[in-house]
């Protein structure tokens, strides 16, 4: 059961993540050209895709294994830390190889290809330490060292913002972006491993054996992440590929302004899934539905209030936070604020589907959302950034309606399987934190 200290530390952890992202992006927007700022945004979008795959394919299995009684021994922590480090090394080599090929082909290529090539090179540079920091923080959460996790995020925030401040004051380019994210990731990793030492390298066989204990979970969660990235977390990559650097830069502004709302969702999500799982296990289906609805009402107030304020103050915030070159993007940012608000409201529905074991149904809904999003962006391309904003908001509205339908279908299926409102073994569900 999460204590008040754990809850506060979780919100502080996500708060530092969101604060670091928004301040660093704001400072870099002033320091970088529009094309470089677009490349930075696309690079972060690619990173989110890679990080999400790693979380779905490896970290989630780690959470499930170590949530079992006696499942978080010292050798488990050691094995998983070094297994993750080995996988991160492989990912880095792959990204670097792709980036090298794209950069070699960049000469004479289209502006869009050049944008993606530079973004891929940036991703290859920032990914290793960022991924290590993310998993190291997860180790702290599994050990209930939530305050240490918040401190790690604070250190990451200081590193990112510090380099962005240097770039803004002294003039700088994409090298400062790489340095900021790398130093931030290194600082967070060091604090995490000092608070929870992983031990010497070893135990890889043990980690691999545990990794493949539940291949179905690994497969479906990894598969689910792909359409989710297309429709949500890595959407800026598609915007850049279809609309070019100008559209990607404006989308990066909107995404940065929405980041605090997304951070709130992440913090709530970390507590919401275990709470919903406990409600299902101890009180039945009605209790988990009540829990999910309560979460959605909370998100309406918190994220809706923040994004409404951003929309109302957009004409002042955008030139101040990102520079005069982004003045005139207010309409697009306001439309995208609506889209991000709807994205925030998707979280309770997806929590319910996960808790009820409906990974395949969620995958179907995410695939439909990805197709609708992609089609909308293609159709909207001739209408500029405002068209992109409208298409994204419309796609997310359709996605929310589909998820509400999926909720009802999942509840009906669960009731049939359990003869009404039966309980369920919460072992795996409680690990979804």
């Amino acid at each position: 059961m999460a204590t008040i200290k754990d809850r506060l530390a979780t919100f502080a952890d996500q708060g530092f993540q969101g604060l670091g992202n928004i301040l660093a992006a704001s400072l870099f927007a002033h320091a970088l050209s529009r094309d470089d700022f677009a490349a930075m945004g696309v690079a972060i979008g690619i990173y989110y895709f890679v990080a999400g795959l790693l979380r779905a394919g490896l970290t989630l299995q780690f959470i499930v294994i170590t949530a079992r009684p006696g499942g978080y021994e010292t050798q488990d922590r050691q094995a998983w830390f070094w297994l993750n480090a080995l996988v991160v090394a492989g990912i880095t080599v792959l990204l670097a190889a792709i980036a090298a090929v794209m950069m070699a082909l960049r000469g004479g290529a289209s502006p869009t290809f050049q944008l993606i090539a530079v973004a891929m090179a940036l991703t290859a540079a920032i990914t290793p330490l960022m991924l290590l920091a993310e998993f190291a923080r997860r180790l702290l959460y599994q050990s209930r060292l939530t305050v240490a996790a918040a401190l790690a995020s604070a250190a990451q925030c200081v590193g990112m913002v510090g380099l962005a401040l240097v770039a803004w004051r002294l003039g700088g380019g994409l090298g400062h972006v790489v340095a900021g994210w790398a130093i931030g990731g290194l600082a967070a990793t060091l604090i995490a491993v000092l608070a929870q030492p992983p031990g010497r390298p070893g135990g890889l066989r043990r980690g691999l054996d545990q990794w493949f204990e539940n291949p179905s979970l690994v497969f479906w969660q990894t598969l689910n992440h792909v359409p989710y990235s297309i429709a949500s977390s890595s959407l800026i990559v598609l915007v850049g590929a279809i609309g070019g650097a100008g559209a990607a830069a404006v989308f990066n502004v909107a995404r940065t302004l929405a980041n605090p709302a997304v951070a709130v969702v992440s913090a709530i999500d970390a507590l919401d899934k275990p709470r919903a799982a406990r409600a299902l296990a101890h009180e039945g289906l009605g209790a988990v539905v009540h829990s999910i609805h309560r979460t959605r009402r909370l998100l309406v107030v918190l994220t809706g209030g923040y994004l409404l304020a951003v929309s109302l103050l957009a004409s002042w915030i955008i030139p101040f936070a990102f520079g005069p070159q982004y003045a005139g993007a207010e309409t697009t940012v306001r439309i995208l604020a609506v889209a991000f608000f709807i994205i925030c409201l998707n979280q309770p529905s997806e929590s319910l589907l996960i808790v009820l074991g409906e990974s395949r149904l969620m995958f179907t809904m995410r695939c439909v959302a990805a197709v609708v999003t992609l089609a909308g962006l293609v159709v909207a391309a001739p209408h500029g950034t405002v068209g992109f904003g409208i298409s994204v908001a419309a796609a997310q509205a359709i996605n929310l309606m589909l998820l509400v339908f999926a909720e009802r279908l999942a509840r009906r299926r669960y009731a049939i399987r359990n003869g009404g409102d039966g309980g369920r073994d919460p072992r795996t569900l409680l690990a979804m934190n």
Side-chain angles (χ1 to χ4, degrees):
M1 182 72 69
T3 65
I4 293 178
K5 182 189 75 173
D6 290 333
R7 292 189 179 95
L8 291 176
T10 298
F11 273 92
D13 174 45
Q14 291 298 324
F16 283 123
Q17 293 279 321
L19 182 65
N21 286 328
I22 194 170
L23 289 180
S26 174
L27 291 167
F28 278 127
H30 285 277
L32 301 176
S33 68
R34 197 179 182 97
D35 286 357
D36 283 350
F37 187 64
M40 185 189 88
V42 174
I44 295 172
I46 299 172
Y47 166 76
Y48 283 156
F49 175 75
V50 174
L53 280 180
L54 184 64
R55 184 184 188 279
L58 185 143
T59 308
L60 186 59
Q61 181 74 322
F62 158 74
I63 295 170
V64 170
I65 295 295
T66 55
R68 300 180 307 194
Y72 193 54
E73 302 170 358
T74 300
Q75 56 265 43
D76 290 314
R77 182 170 68 248
Q78 178 187 28
W80 282 92
F81 180 89
W82 294 111
L83 174 60
N84 176 76
L86 182 64
V87 173
V88 168
I91 290 172
T92 302
V93 171
L94 178 60
L95 289 175
I98 295 172
V101 172
M102 294 187 72
M103 292 297 286
L105 299 174
R106 191 169 57 132
S110 67
T112 299
F113 183 89
Q114 294 184 34
L115 170 69
I116 302 300
V118 172
M120 184 62 72
L122 286 174
T123 305
I126 69 174
T127 291
L129 289 170
M130 293 287 287
L131 289 181
L132 288 176
E134 179 64 26
F135 192 80
R137 285 174 49 249
R138 174 51 62 182
L139 285 172
L140 297 178
Y141 271 105
Q142 291 303 97
S143 300
R144 298 283 184 177
L145 298 175
T146 51
V147 173
L151 289 175
S153 287
Q156 188 168 338
C157 172
V158 170
M160 293 164 55
V161 175
L163 264 294
L165 188 60
V166 170
W168 174 58
R169 295 293 296 176
L170 302 180
L174 291 175
H176 286 86
V177 174
V178 172
W181 262 260
I183 290 175
L186 178 61
T189 302
L190 288 176
I191 288 178
V193 299
L194 286 174
Q196 184 72 278
R200 293 182 298 176
L204 290 178
R205 181 56 185 268
R206 180 186 181 91
L208 285 170
D209 288 342
Q210 292 181 344
W211 188 7
F212 291 111
E213 275 190 22
N214 190 350
S216 177
L217 174 67
V218 172
F219 174 79
W220 280 108
Q221 289 302 321
T222 303
L223 205 59
N224 261 308
H225 177 69
V226 177
Y228 170 76
S229 296
I230 294 173
S232 182
S233 63
S234 299
L235 185 56
I236 190 172
V237 181
L238 286 178
V239 171
I242 296 172
V250 172
F251 192 91
N252 198 19
V253 168
R255 185 182 64 180
T256 302
L257 289 174
N259 191 271
V262 176
V264 167
V265 174
S266 297
I268 291 176
D269 185 62
L271 303 171
D272 185 51
K273 287 184 176 66
R275 180 173 61 238
R278 285 190 294 270
L280 180 66
H282 299 296
E283 302 175 60
L285 184 58
V288 72
V289 171
H290 174 74
S291 175
I292 293 300
H293 287 170
R294 182 176 61 182
T295 298
R296 181 169 281 124
R297 288 193 295 270
L298 178 62
L299 289 174
V300 167
V301 173
L302 294 180
T303 65
Y306 170 76
L307 291 171
L308 177 61
V310 167
S311 297
L312 293 175
L313 299 174
S315 298
W316 174 80
I317 292 175
I318 294 172
F320 173 77
F322 300 96
Q325 60 180 325
Y326 297 103
E330 292 87 353
T331 300
T332 303
V333 168
R334 290 184 178 115
I335 296 170
L336 286 171
V338 175
F340 280 109
F341 174 63
I342 299 172
I343 289 174
C344 291
L345 297 186
N346 290 342
Q347 181 271 339
S349 297
E350 296 203 342
S351 288
L352 180 65
L353 295 181
I354 289 174
V355 166
L356 296 184
E358 292 285 358
S359 294
R360 297 185 184 187
L361 179 59
M362 188 166 71
F363 175 69
T364 301
M365 296 298 104
R366 284 182 169 181
C367 284
V368 173
V371 171
V372 170
T373 300
L374 181 58
L377 290 175
V378 172
V379 171
H383 304 286
T385 56
V386 171
F388 280 138
I390 293 173
S391 71
V392 172
Q396 289 302 323
I398 293 171
N399 185 37
L400 181 60
M401 289 187 290
L402 290 173
L403 283 171
V404 170
F405 167 76
E407 274 188 47
R408 296 176 179 174
L409 179 59
R411 286 156 54 186
R412 188 179 304 117
R413 286 179 175 177
Y414 181 86
I416 293 173
R417 287 197 307 267
N418 293 274
D421 195 21
R424 178 177 176 173
D425 179 7
R427 185 186 70 184
T428 299
L429 304 178
L430 290 173
M432 300 308 244
N433 181 358

